[in-house]
Amino acid sequence: MPLNKKIGLFIPCYVDQFYTKVGIATLELLEKLGCQVSYPIGQTCCGQPMANAGYERDTVGTAKHFVETFRDYDYIVAPSGSCVLHIKDHAPAIPGLDKEQESLHHKIFELTEFLTDVLKVENLKGSFPHKVGFHASCHGHRGLRLGSCSERNEPFFSKAKQLLDQIEGLEWVELNRKDECCGFGGTFAVTEEALSVQMGKDRLQDHLSQGVEILTGGDMSCIMHLEGIAKRNQQPLKFMHIAEILNQAIS
Amino acid sequence: MSHPAKASEFLQDAAKAKWHDETLWFVRDKRDTISKTIPEWEHLRDLASKIKDNVLANLDEYLVKFEEKATANGIQVHWAKDAEEHNQIVLGILQRHQCKAIVKSKSILTEECHLNPYLEKNGIEVVDTDLGERIVQFLNQPPSHIVLPAIHLKKRDISELFHEKLHTEKGNEDPAYLTHAARLHLREKFLGAKVAITGVNFGVAETGEFVVCTNEGNADMGVHLADVHIACMGIEKIIPRRKDLGVFLRLLARSATGQPITNYNSHFRSPAPGKEIHIVLVDNGRTDQLAREKFKNSLKCIRCGACMNTCPIYRRSGGYSYGSVVPGPIGSILSPGLDVKKYSTLPFASTLCGSCTDVCPVKINIHEQLYEWRQEITKAQGTNAKSISMKIANGIFAVPFAYQVTGAMMRGALKFLPDSITYSGLNIWGKQRDLPETPKETFKDWYKKNRS
């Protein structure tokens, strides 16, 4: 374990604003695992909402601020596959900071991959006796390859399952469509509202019909969308970020 | 109409939309299953992609070689810079043979060139002989999918249509019965046509031959009964060597329908004595696309349709929601190259989930190109309200204090606004979804209190 490494906690803007508990769970989980974590207070957003809407060129200021905020850390960890993918793939080049930006791409990790690949967590002690359905958010799944993708001919793996399987009593529920998109898609959720909601309903139905009690995932954006639909339709599902499950289980 | 408007219309018929989604998912599932029986599947995709890289990098040389070989084989080669020239060339050949009725097997290129209406306007009867294409032709509709042209219709629709057009029994929805009726109807058309038109799946530069893949054998039936065969081919359909087919034919049908191979893979090299073969090589915007570094890979497409079957948007909005000849993810990266304004909503009809890229047998980075088209489209649109709000957003995120103030305002507003405003028509998010509950403090506030 890299106990003497400096870890910068990157909390995506909407998590900061709407999901305080997910930020706390991520921080506490990393601390319990022996990490020295600090949260650079000046951080804002990664720039993804603007870039995916077609305005990557207007995110230079945002991207520069991100690099300057996190340049001095050994690792950067975020409870979001989507924002991490954005930093790696779509942050515009910052003149004069190219070296820092390049090294950032190797230092930034989504939470579950940081736990499995850097900390090499193999022996979590904890219990969480619930039937859990995992929503593989597309940017983490196909973008960061946090799990094997159903389209590809590759051996099965899932970084989330690798962690959740260590928790006593937790039942990982297999879904009918293992990695179909939930329909959030950033501005897509609003510009293509009808489709977005239909996709979300279909995902929820899959979890419900397999008897899932708690729907979890690595990205609150997908969960915010799914939870919003489930609540509106009074569907009996609970929603937790994977950091919340792990942190709660091992406390 | 924009993609969102048409998609929302498609979803109005919930039962049919669900059926459409499940039918195409079934095809994708078959593709997944069969692709996993080939241990070297990912290697094959890689090879196919690299062969196409080579083709695109040397397209001029391969085309000249192809023309040379084909001509030596007795094939007449024509070059068309655009759809209009293509249509004129085809009409010229028909007129020279005083041909008034033709049969045509599936060709997305002739759809792209709008050949059917052009020929009909010039007094020529065109019969599409692929069953699905014949069905949509009866309805005066374009194909809604490039491999499954009538996938938006159910058995009942076909039964009613055939009752009207082919006088089949009213209410008989038996697929075998309906197919047999179509077969008898098409037989007559095959026998009466002096000229047959086909598309081309692969043109082999090394030999000057070309390959047409069908499941129904309709291309062969048409060509063998006619005196003249016109093959319409996009210039990107070239492959260097015959042996490259060993890569592409293994990928094509497995990706398209989950079959090991298309039923008929017919090679055409020389005309039979007394007959003619023509090839029309069409550019129609392809060299423009080749010149666009970020988008040229879209020309690798072998038209298998796998990206449509896997696309969660396509499955739930149907082919017509795109309003382009080639619908779905691949269409959304090809069409803006033809008319960026007309097709401006297509690259946004995606969550960038990346499934299209992962099923693509030639590894086109489709979702990355969708992202890149978004950047181009917003540039082409110039300054508007949205672009201004993005600039403001960047200003906010670049300055921590501004972000904090705005975030606090946003949360404050959500806390105090009555539901009637939060969930009004102005708030599209809230139409069918609840908003998250606003916590009493942000993570940032919590951290300041508890850690620093």
Side-chain angles (χ1 to χ4, degrees):
Chain A
M1 277 194 191
L3 292 175
N4 47 7
K5 300 280 184 189
K6 261 178 75 184
I7 297 168
L9 183 63
F10 162 35
I11 297 296
C13 53
Y14 65 95
V15 174
D16 172 41
Q17 295 290 325
F18 290 112
Y19 296 101
T20 310
K21 56 184 184 164
V22 175
I24 297 171
T26 308
L27 176 67
E28 287 181 353
L29 176 64
L30 289 167
E31 285 171 345
K32 282 177 196 171
L33 293 169
C35 300
Q36 293 171 21
V37 193
S38 56
Y39 171 80
I41 214 84
Q43 63 182 281
T44 56
C45 168
C46 64
Q48 177 172 211
M50 296 167 276
N52 283 5
Y55 295 92
E56 187 190 293
R57 61 189 172 281
D58 290 335
T59 66
V60 177
T62 305
K64 183 164 183 261
H65 178 71
F66 190 92
V67 177
E68 284 167 348
T69 305
F70 285 101
R71 59 192 287 177
D72 294 330
Y73 288 91
D74 298 315
Y75 292 107
I76 302 145
V77 180
S80 163
S82 195
C83 300
V84 170
L85 180 72
H86 175 80
I87 294 294
K88 285 187 170 182
D89 279 11
H90 289 152
I94 312 298
L97 279 175
D98 23 351
K99 266 193 197 141
E100 286 82 355
Q101 208 173 7
E102 169 63 22
S103 92
L104 205 81
H105 294 173
H106 302 287
K107 297 196 298 193
I108 188 164
F109 289 87
E110 180 273 344
L111 177 65
T112 61
E113 64 177 347
F114 184 74
L115 299 187
T116 58
D117 300 359
V118 181
L119 294 185
K120 306 211 184 290
V121 166
E122 282 171 353
N123 228 336
L124 289 174
K125 295 267 183 282
S127 156
F128 194 78
H130 296 284
K131 292 179 83 168
V132 173
F134 183 75
H135 176 69
S137 79
C138 301
H139 287 175
H141 192 64
R142 293 188 198 82
L144 297 175
R145 303 289 180 200
L146 301 179
S148 50
C149 301
S150 60
E151 297 87 354
R152 307 212 302 178
N153 192 344
E154 61 188 349
F156 174 83
F157 72 99
S158 158
K159 296 185 182 184
K161 187 166 190 289
Q162 205 178 315
L163 295 166
L164 293 174
D165 276 354
Q166 297 172 32
I167 303 296
E168 206 184 293
L170 188 147
E171 188 185 333
W172 170 280
V173 178
E174 287 298 338
L175 299 167
N176 182 20
R177 297 186 185 180
K178 298 182 191 323
D179 51 13
E180 192 178 35
C181 178
C182 69
F184 170 67
T187 48
F188 178 89
V190 174
T191 56
E192 291 265 15
E193 191 256 356
L195 267 170
S196 170
V197 169
Q198 188 57 50
M199 288 164 71
K201 284 181 176 171
D202 291 351
R203 280 293 74 232
L204 287 168
Q205 197 48 51
D206 196 357
H207 285 266
L208 283 167
S209 55
Q210 312 300 332
V212 166
E213 213 181 308
I214 296 169
L215 191 157
T216 191
D219 267 286
M220 279 321 286
S221 47
C222 304
I223 294 178
M224 172 171 73
H225 162 73
L226 290 169
E227 186 173 18
I229 299 169
K231 271 195 177 165
R232 180 61 61 88
N233 298 300
Q234 294 165 341
Q235 288 172 311
L237 265 176
K238 284 193 194 127
F239 297 81
M240 288 172 87
H241 190 276
I242 190 166
E244 293 180 276
I245 293 187
L246 293 174
N247 187 47
Q248 189 177 316
I250 65 175
S251 57
Chain B
M1 226 192 319
S2 66
H3 186 273
K6 288 192 211 158
S8 142
E9 201 175 279
F10 185 85
L11 287 167
Q12 295 282 308
D13 187 344
K16 192 165 176 184
K18 184 168 190 283
W19 169 82
H20 193 265
D21 166 58
E22 284 172 352
T23 306
L24 289 160
W25 180 266
F26 174 77
V27 182
R28 192 206 117 168
D29 207 40
K30 272 177 72 185
R31 170 245 168 242
D32 288 355
T33 306
I34 199 162
S35 66
K36 288 177 176 75
T37 64
I38 309 287
E40 68 275 27
W41 181 257
E42 299 301 332
H43 178 58
L44 275 180
R45 290 176 67 220
D46 211 41
L47 265 178
S49 175
K50 285 176 178 155
I51 294 169
K52 286 282 186 178
D53 278 335
N54 175 287
V55 168
L56 294 180
N58 302 287
L59 190 57
D60 51 344
E61 286 172 32
Y62 284 128
L63 280 166
V64 169
K65 191 168 163 195
F66 177 71
E67 180 188 34
E68 197 182 297
K69 293 283 177 183
T71 309
N73 295 338
I75 291 177
Q76 299 178 46
V77 179
H78 311 260
W79 297 83
K81 69 173 186 299
D82 54 22
E84 196 186 341
E85 207 168 276
H86 162 265
N87 293 348
Q88 285 165 358
I89 291 167
V90 173
L91 180 66
I93 300 168
L94 298 180
Q95 284 171 340
R96 271 202 301 286
H97 290 87
Q98 287 154 2
C99 174
K100 287 281 166 203
I102 61 150
V103 287
K104 182 159 80 68
S105 75
K106 193 152 54 195
S107 153
I108 318 295
L109 176 63
T110 58
E111 285 293 332
E112 176 188 319
C113 296
H114 302 291
L115 179 68
N116 286 18
Y118 177 86
L119 292 181
E120 282 157 7
K121 209 174 66 199
N122 284 282
I124 289 159
E125 185 201 12
V126 183
V127 173
D128 281 312
T129 58
D130 172 274
L131 179 56
E133 289 229 317
R134 187 62 180 145
I135 290 166
V136 291
Q137 196 185 20
F138 274 145
L139 288 166
N140 247 325
Q141 291 175 345
S144 72
H145 185 293
I146 60 172
V147 173
L148 314 160
I151 196 66
H152 58 294
L153 299 169
K154 300 187 75 166
K155 273 188 292 188
R156 181 183 304 161
D157 304 322
I158 315 291
S159 169
E160 281 168 17
L161 177 71
F162 279 16
H163 172 65
E164 184 202 328
K165 300 283 182 185
L166 304 177
H167 312 297
T168 54
E169 266 171 40
K170 196 172 174 58
N172 191 334
E173 296 177 14
D174 176 34
Y177 169 76
L178 295 173
T179 311
H180 186 68
R183 192 185 178 93
L184 293 179
H185 158 74
L186 286 170
R187 245 340 112 86
E188 258 177 56
K189 303 292 179 186
F190 280 124
L191 289 167
K194 285 209 288 194
V195 177
I197 296 182
T198 70
V200 170
N201 289 89
F202 305 98
V204 184
E206 169 191 55
T207 60
E209 76 201 80
F210 61 92
V211 180
V212 181
C213 309
T214 71
N215 270 334
E216 298 168 27
N218 52 315
D220 306 81
M221 181 84 83
V223 165
H224 294 314
L225 288 167
D227 298 327
V228 179
H229 175 184
I230 306 173
C232 303
M233 171 176 163
I235 52 173
E236 82 284 16
K237 294 283 169 169
I238 287 278
I239 55 170
R241 304 159 300 186
R242 184 189 273 165
K243 72 175 184 185
D244 299 327
L245 287 166
V247 175
F248 290 104
L249 291 180
R250 293 183 76 196
L251 289 165
L252 178 61
R254 287 186 173 92
S255 299
T257 57
Q259 298 164 249
I261 195 148
T262 29
N263 294 345
Y264 298 86
N265 296 296
S266 304
H267 296 235
F268 298 94
R269 192 165 68 170
S270 310
K275 297 196 175 188
E276 288 177 18
I277 299 180
H278 298 260
I279 295 175
V280 189
L281 288 163
V282 186
D283 182 335
N284 203 35
R286 285 162 176 75
T287 46
D288 291 339
Q289 190 80 334
L290 189 60
R292 298 180 181 111
E293 195 51 41
K294 285 176 183 163
F295 304 112
K296 69 175 184 189
N297 275 353
S298 60
L299 294 171
K300 291 181 179 179
C301 178
I302 57 171
R303 300 294 191 266
C304 70
C307 61
M308 291 162 208
N309 304 338
T310 201
C311 179
I313 314 300
Y314 177 92
R315 276 188 268 111
R316 291 176 183 80
S317 66
Y320 296 147
S321 65
Y322 295 82
S324 53
V325 171
V326 179
I330 182 69
S332 297
I333 60 172
L334 287 169
S335 309
L338 300 171
D339 187 337
V340 75
K341 207 170 161 195
K342 184 175 173 194
Y343 300 114
S344 67
T345 59
L346 297 188
F348 294 90
S350 162
T351 56
L352 305 178
C353 81
S355 186
C356 46
T357 300
D358 277 357
V359 292
C360 180
V362 289
K363 293 181 102 166
I364 302 171
N365 55 338
I366 303 177
H367 76 295
E368 284 292 333
Q369 293 192 34
L370 289 168
Y371 174 88
E372 292 298 344
W373 270 117
R374 292 181 182 189
Q375 315 304 323
E376 298 301 319
I377 285 165
T378 54
K379 265 183 230 162
Q381 283 170 339
T383 310
N384 56 26
K386 198 173 175 190
S387 73
I388 290 167
S389 71
M390 287 300 159
K391 287 208 171 68
I392 294 169
N394 190 44
I396 291 168
F397 291 129
V399 184
F401 178 69
Y403 164 72
Q404 278 169 28
V405 172
T406 327
M409 273 167 56
M410 187 166 78
R411 290 177 340 108
L414 278 178
K415 215 180 287 179
F416 298 114
L417 284 174
D419 278 4
S420 58
I421 291 178
T422 313
Y423 291 121
S424 73
L426 294 173
N427 171 12
I428 298 168
W429 174 275
K431 265 169 76 184
Q432 301 186 69
R433 278 171 291 222
D434 280 9
L435 284 158
E437 277 166 27
T438 316
K440 63 178 194 301
E441 59 185 354
T442 63
F443 175 74
K444 207 181 284 277
D445 294 338
W446 179 90
Y447 188 85
K448 277 188 210 155
K449 259 192 250 164
N450 293 280
R451 286 293 187 281
S452 37

